[in-house]
């Protein structure tokens, strides 16, 4: 690492004396002449390795351009100062910080908006690839994206914000970094780029969300993920996101909030396909004491946890008005999904009680027509959820899975082993009884 050069001359007093004179010159309308002299002074301080004086002169140049409202000179000065040979990092940081502060002072209409966008573009250009001003560039990029979003250009705003790989920034605070990533996810979802939203979401670790100070970040993250999972039709992941929201202390403090979250957990769990993780979550939610305050939802879970047939017409009558209050049930296809889950539950119940059943009776129990019955049964068989075969000539549905040759042999071997063990134990008991009787005879 090269040694830091020592300051050859302190230009502090000279700069203090010259700046007021040059400011007066610029304000008289001779801005170009004043900037030329200021750049000459900046060169002297830079060559003398006087960092503080160089920074002071450079910031003064930007400041006087803004005061004179010469926007062209402002942008040109920013570019010139950033390209000076051997320019100090501290100087560029000071110049960029000063220029960023001016962005908010422009209006959002007409010529002022045009000048504002030019200034933003200039700052983003001179800060590109420079790690020591990456935070300023990221914040400015976010402002630009917000402006584009305000104009209705959501896709352009999302593309602009995606340019910033904020997860690699070491100097940025964790909260600001997470907030930036959440904004990227939101814009991706708004412009229907769900794959990109999923990729960005993976940059946020669960460990970061678990920190107590980041409860608001955690809630926003799961709200965005719920939007993504609903689009994907993954109701189990939606339920898990609502579970994470429900477990947040700030939500537990308000009954209205936790009751709403718990309702949505139940709703999405019953819409999710049956699998070990879904069933395990059902059991854990059913045992939650807070569910006692929501009797209809506890009863709904009980339907799916009990090995009994569910009558779809009855269930619709009981829950249509209650479930229609939730946004997820506003779409007709969700009711079709709910019906599908009820039928799948009924098929699993029937398969657990019957080894075979007549096809006619099977259709009656499911309360479906023949085409729908075959469709639902085929889906479950394909998913390996149940074993079933339809014997059309005999008119029966067989649920008893025939054993393969190896399984038959293993079962026979196990039975023979059990029989031999039983015979050995019986012989031992007979022998012991004989010994007891013989000892009694000898004693007499």
């Amino acid at each position: 690492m090269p040694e830091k050069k020592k300051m050859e001359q302190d230009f502090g007093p000279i700069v203090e004396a010259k700046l007021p004179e040059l400011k007066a010159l610029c304000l008289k309308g001779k801005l170009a002449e004043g900037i030329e002299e200021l750049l000459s002074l900046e060169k002297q301080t830079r060559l003398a390795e006087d960092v503080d004086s160089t920074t002071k002169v450079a910031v003064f140049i930007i400041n006087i351009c803004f005061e004179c409202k010469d926007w062209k000179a402002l942008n040109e000065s920013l570019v010139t100062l950033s390209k000076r040979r051997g320019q100090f990092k501290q100087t560029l940081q000071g110049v960029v910080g000063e220029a960023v502060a001016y962005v908010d002072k422009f209006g959002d209409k007409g010529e002022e908006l045009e000048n504002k966008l030019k200034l933003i573009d200039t700052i983003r250009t001179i800060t590109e690839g420079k790690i020591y001003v990456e935070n300023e560039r990221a914040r400015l990029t976010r402002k630009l994206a917000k402006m584009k979003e305000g104009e209705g250009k959501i896709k352009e705003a999302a593309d602009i914000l995606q340019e910033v790989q904020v997860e690699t920034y070491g100097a940025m605070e964790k909260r600001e970094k997470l907030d930036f990533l959440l904004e990227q996810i939101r814009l991706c979802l708004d412009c229907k780029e769900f794959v990109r939203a999923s990729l960005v979401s993976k940059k946020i670790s669960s460990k970061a969300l678990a920190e107590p100070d980041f409860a608001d970040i955690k809630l926003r993250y799961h709200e965005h993920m719920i939007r993504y999972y609903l689009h994907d039709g993954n109701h189990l992941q939606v339920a898990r996101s609502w579970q994470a929201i429900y477990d947040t202390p700030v939500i537990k403090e308000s009954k209205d909030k936790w009751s709403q979250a718990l309702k949505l957990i139940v709703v999405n769990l019953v819409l999710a396909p049956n699998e070990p993780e879904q069933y395990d979550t059902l059991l854990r939610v059913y045992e939650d004491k807070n569910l006692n305050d929501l009797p209809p939802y506890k009863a709904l879970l009980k339907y799916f946890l009990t090995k009994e047939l569910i009558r779809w017409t009855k269930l619709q009558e009981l829950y249509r008005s209650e479930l229609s209050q939730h946004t997820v049930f506003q779409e007709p296809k969700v009711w079709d999904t709910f019906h599908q889950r009820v039928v799948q539950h009924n098929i699993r119940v029937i398969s657990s009680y019957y080894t075979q059943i007549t096809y006619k009776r099977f259709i009656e129990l499911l309360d479906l027509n023949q085409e729908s019955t075959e469709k639902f049964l085929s889906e479950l068989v394909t998913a390996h959820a149940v074993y079933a075969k339809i014997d059309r000539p005999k008119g029966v549905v067989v649920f008893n899975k025939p054993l393969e040759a190896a399984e038959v042999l293993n079962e026979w071997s196990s039975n023979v082993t059990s029989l031999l063990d039983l015979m050995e134990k019986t012989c031992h008991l007979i022998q012991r009884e004989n010994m007891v009787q013989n000892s009694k005879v000898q004693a007499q």
Side-chain angles (χ1 to χ4, degrees), residues 137-317:
R137 189 174 195 276
R139 290 166 190 149
L140 199 62
T141 302
R142 184 168 178 178
K143 285 182 182 179
L144 180 60
K146 189 174 181 180
M147 290 168 62
K148 294 296 182 183
E149 186 184 6
E151 295 172 4
K153 301 175 181 177
I154 299 176
K155 179 68 171 66
E156 189 176 345
D159 291 339
I160 289 171
L161 208 60
Q162 292 303 318
E163 294 175 6
V164 183
Q165 303 299 319
V166 73
E167 67 278 3
T168 64
Y169 289 9
M172 185 177 285
E173 291 183 2
K174 188 185 289 187
R175 169 174 282 278
E176 186 179 1
K177 193 182 295 186
L178 291 172
D179 186 57
F180 202 100
L181 289 170
L182 288 178
E183 192 68 9
Q184 288 182 335
I185 295 173
R186 183 186 67 80
L187 285 173
C188 287
L189 292 173
D190 287 346
C191 63
K192 310 299 182 184
E193 293 187 356
F194 295 99
V195 175
R196 182 181 281 184
S198 176
L199 293 174
V200 177
S201 70
K202 290 180 173 62
K203 298 176 183 179
I204 300 177
S205 67
S206 56
K207 184 179 178 181
L209 296 174
E211 295 185 24
D213 295 338
F214 293 165
D216 57 325
I217 297 290
K218 177 184 175 182
L219 294 176
R220 284 174 56 202
Y221 169 79
H222 285 293
E223 285 170 4
H224 293 330
M225 295 314 297
I226 286 168
R227 287 180 61 190
Y228 169 74
Y229 291 132
L230 282 175
H231 170 266
D232 208 33
N234 193 335
H235 290 283
L236 180 58
Q237 291 299 331
V238 173
R240 291 184 65 183
S241 288
W242 277 115
Q243 182 73 54
I245 292 173
Y246 172 72
D247 292 334
T248 307
V250 69
I251 298 297
K252 285 287 185 73
E253 292 172 1
S254 170
K255 185 176 180 180
D256 292 339
K257 290 180 180 179
W258 67 250
S259 61
Q260 182 65 16
L262 193 53
K263 286 177 183 178
L264 288 164
I265 292 170
V266 172
V267 165
N268 284 284
L269 278 176
V270 298
L271 288 173
N274 181 265
E275 55 186 47
E277 186 180 356
Q278 183 260 4
Y279 188 75
D280 179 62
T281 310
L282 271 177
L283 289 172
R284 286 190 285 107
V285 173
Y286 186 74
E287 293 171 359
D288 194 315
K289 293 179 181 179
N290 286 334
L291 199 60
N292 294 327
D293 295 338
L294 305 170
Y297 293 88
K298 185 162 188 176
L300 181 60
L301 280 188
K302 191 174 181 180
Y303 277 116
F304 287 88
L305 290 172
T306 308
K307 283 191 174 182
E308 295 179 1
L309 294 177
I310 302 173
R311 291 297 173 193
W312 171 242
T313 52
K314 181 183 177 182
L315 194 68
Q316 262 191 315
E317 291 174 5

Side-chain angles (χ1 to χ4, degrees), residues 8-9 42 53 58 69 103 139 148 170 190 198 205 210 223 227 229 240 274 307 333 346 364 396 403 414 420 439:
E8 296 178 2
Q9 181 181 351
E42 182 271 338
S53 297
K69 296 185 178 182
V103 171
R139 290 166 190 149
K148 294 296 182 183
D190 287 346
S198 176
S205 67
E223 285 170 4
R227 287 180 61 190
Y229 291 132
R240 291 184 65 183
N274 181 265
K307 283 191 174 182
K333 66 178 183 179
N346 289 341
E364 288 176 1
V396 296
L403 297 176
S414 176
L420 292 174
S439 63

Side-chain angles (χ1 to χ4, degrees), residues 317-356:
E317 291 174 5
L318 289 173
Y319 285 96
R320 179 166 285 278
S321 59
E322 180 68 34
L323 295 178
S324 296
Q325 298 174 10
H326 301 292
T327 308
V328 69
F329 272 95
Q330 299 299 319
E331 297 183 21
K333 66 178 183 179
V334 177
W335 283 101
D336 295 337
T337 302
F338 189 34
H339 184 209
Q340 182 182 4
R341 301 296 175 242
V342 171
V343 174
Q344 289 173 349
H345 168 81
N346 289 341
I347 292 174
R348 288 194 300 273
V349 170
I350 293 170
S351 68
S352 67
Y353 286 113
Y354 290 88
T355 55
Q356 70 175 35

